[in-house]
Amino acid sequence: MKTQLLLSSLLIGAASLWFGHAASAADFTIKFAHNSPPRMDAARHRYFVTFEDLAKKYTNGKVAFQEFPASQMGSDQKAAKKLQLGLIQMMDVATNNLAQLYSGFDLFTLPYLITDMGCGIHHVLNDPKLLAEISQGAQKKANIRLLALEEDGPRNMMSSKHPIVAPADLDGLRMRVAKNPIQLDFYKALGADVIGIASAETYGALQTGIVDGNDGGVGWAYAQKLYEVQKYYSMTGHQMVVEAAIVNNDFFNALPKDVQAGLKKAALEAAQKNTEWMEGYINNIYAKFKKAGLKFNYPDKAPFREVGKKIWKKYAQRVGGIDRVNYVQDLQKDCK
């Protein structure tokens, strides 16, 4: 018995030393927040897992991570503010939810700015000039550094009342829209009654009838299980949701150069992997929506697009100027 006790004590001591060494192996710890549930079929969590693995590899284990999924740090806007202040270090978040801190992120919120989910969005999100310009503006204005952009699929319209085939179908419809001026104005111009509701509160608002329908990206709508509280799915494709991998700039600048390079490389590579995965996964989500009972319809986008272009003119200066809007259009010319 004494021998067994001695052996157990030695094993416990050895384990303590090993785990203590493992815990102290990383030189830096990054708190990473997002709004997805911690499931591999939820895009933000999937991005985090991919990024974490690559970042550990490319920094030689110098960085450890703590994940805060499912809006544990509050709404996207609140979590972004915490990142700006350095209370957390990183996020993966839809760009429209960062515009309160730096309006240049709202470039991707302009309706129908990005023409398709294939060639067009790849040319835009992988353009180093555009990435650098937005990052520089965010660093200066909001203490946020942009590391990478990735696709999260198109935004479509969901409703519990009736299909949305034409702008007139939105007249008087109470639509949940993210608290973003471009998105709110677009829906107002279409005739909807808009209510700005945070991501985590959307399911409950639909379930209780506070709103009749919602605007949202495909992956987000699936992760939030909105198919349980909606009836109609209208393929308006009015916006390509763009997610941003961001880091507190003060924190980033204090890191050694090799760690900075490793995080940059990991963020870009994870973004590419997530975009590729999302493009294959979107059709699976549509199939799941149909299986859950959602009724799909395919409206003529032309009248919606005309309304959207009027929004471009109103908000061009907010997003970096009309030259930047035109630059994004030019990036997609050979895709048409």
Side-chain angles (χ1 to χ4, degrees):
M1 180 63 72
K2 289 182 179 180
T3 302
Q4 288 178 331
L5 287 172
L6 179 61
L7 181 60
S8 296
S9 298
L10 289 171
L11 288 171
I12 291 170
S16 299
L17 288 171
W18 189 88
F19 283 116
H21 174 72
S24 63
D27 297 328
F28 308 96
T29 299
I30 290 177
K31 294 179 180 178
F32 192 113
H34 59 80
N35 67 21
S36 286
R39 307 193 317 253
M40 287 303 285
D41 63 350
R44 308 282 61 75
H45 172 71
R46 190 179 188 92
Y47 179 85
F48 167 75
V49 171
T50 305
F51 170 73
E52 179 185 29
D53 288 345
L54 291 169
K56 288 179 177 179
K57 174 183 175 182
Y58 295 144
T59 65
N60 294 315
K62 292 179 181 179
V63 179
F65 293 87
Q66 294 177 0
E67 182 187 19
F68 294 87
S71 300
Q72 289 180 17
M73 286 292 173
S75 68
D76 287 342
Q77 292 90 345
K78 290 179 180 178
K81 186 66 177 177
K82 290 177 181 177
L83 181 142
Q84 182 188 33
L85 297 173
L87 301 176
I88 56 177
Q89 288 74 48
M90 285 195 69
M91 284 184 72
D92 194 44
V93 57
T95 51
N96 60 281
N97 289 319
L98 295 171
Q100 60 170 346
L101 301 178
Y102 172 57
S103 64
F105 281 115
D106 251 347
L107 175 69
F108 305 107
T109 312
L110 295 176
Y112 296 106
L113 180 71
I114 298 177
T115 55
D116 69 3
M117 200 176 65
C119 171
I121 200 162
H122 278 282
H123 282 213
V124 174
L125 300 191
N126 293 321
D127 184 71
K129 177 178 180 289
L130 187 63
L131 185 76
E133 286 182 357
I134 295 173
S135 184
Q136 288 163 9
Q139 291 170 47
K140 183 178 180 180
K141 180 71 176 180
N143 194 33
I144 290 173
R145 180 181 291 262
L146 175 63
L147 295 181
L149 296 167
E150 84 249 31
E151 173 195 344
D152 198 29
R155 284 187 183 273
N156 295 306
M157 299 182 188
M158 303 176 80
S159 169
S160 62
K161 296 295 185 182
H162 53 252
I164 299 166
V165 180
D169 294 321
L170 284 158
D171 187 29
L173 204 65
R174 293 172 299 172
M175 293 291 290
R176 175 271 169 186
V177 182
K179 297 177 182 179
N180 176 281
I182 295 178
Q183 291 174 283
L184 292 168
D185 271 6
F186 177 55
Y187 272 88
K188 288 176 183 176
L190 291 169
D193 291 337
V194 293
I195 303 176
I197 295 176
S199 173
E201 299 168 3
T202 301
Y203 186 100
L206 291 164
Q207 188 177 41
T208 57
I210 293 174
V211 290
D212 302 316
N214 73 278
D215 170 279
V218 180
W220 172 80
Y222 177 72
Q224 300 295 327
K225 299 185 178 181
L226 300 188
Y227 50 86
E228 296 179 349
V229 288
Q230 294 284 53
K231 293 181 181 179
Y232 303 99
Y233 197 84
S234 302
M235 299 280 281
T236 52
H238 52 278
Q239 182 192 338
M240 294 294 173
V241 181
V242 175
E243 299 282 337
I246 58 173
V247 61
N248 176 277
N249 196 47
D250 288 340
F251 171 81
F252 186 85
N253 286 335
L255 295 172
K257 295 297 183 184
D258 63 322
V259 175
Q260 291 181 3
L263 291 177
K264 285 182 182 178
K265 183 177 180 180
L268 288 167
E269 190 171 324
Q272 184 62 40
K273 289 178 180 292
N274 231 46
T275 291
E276 291 171 359
W277 171 81
M278 177 55 71
E279 289 178 354
Y281 190 52
I282 284 171
N283 287 332
N284 290 334
I285 295 177
Y286 288 150
K288 291 174 187 291
F289 282 168
K290 290 175 181 178
K291 186 176 181 181
L294 283 180
K295 297 178 181 179
F296 276 57
N297 65 280
Y298 302 85
D300 178 7
K301 295 179 183 179
F304 292 92
R305 190 176 288 113
E306 287 305 310
V307 175
K309 287 187 176 180
K310 294 177 183 177
I311 301 295
W312 292 10
K313 295 178 182 178
K314 180 176 179 179
Y315 285 98
Q317 288 307 118
R318 173 181 174 84
V319 302
I322 195 63
D323 288 345
R324 184 172 292 176
V325 174
N326 291 335
Y327 180 73
V328 172
Q329 292 294 289
D330 290 341
L331 287 173
Q332 304 172 77
K333 277 185 177 178
D334 64 355
C335 297
K336 299 177 182 178

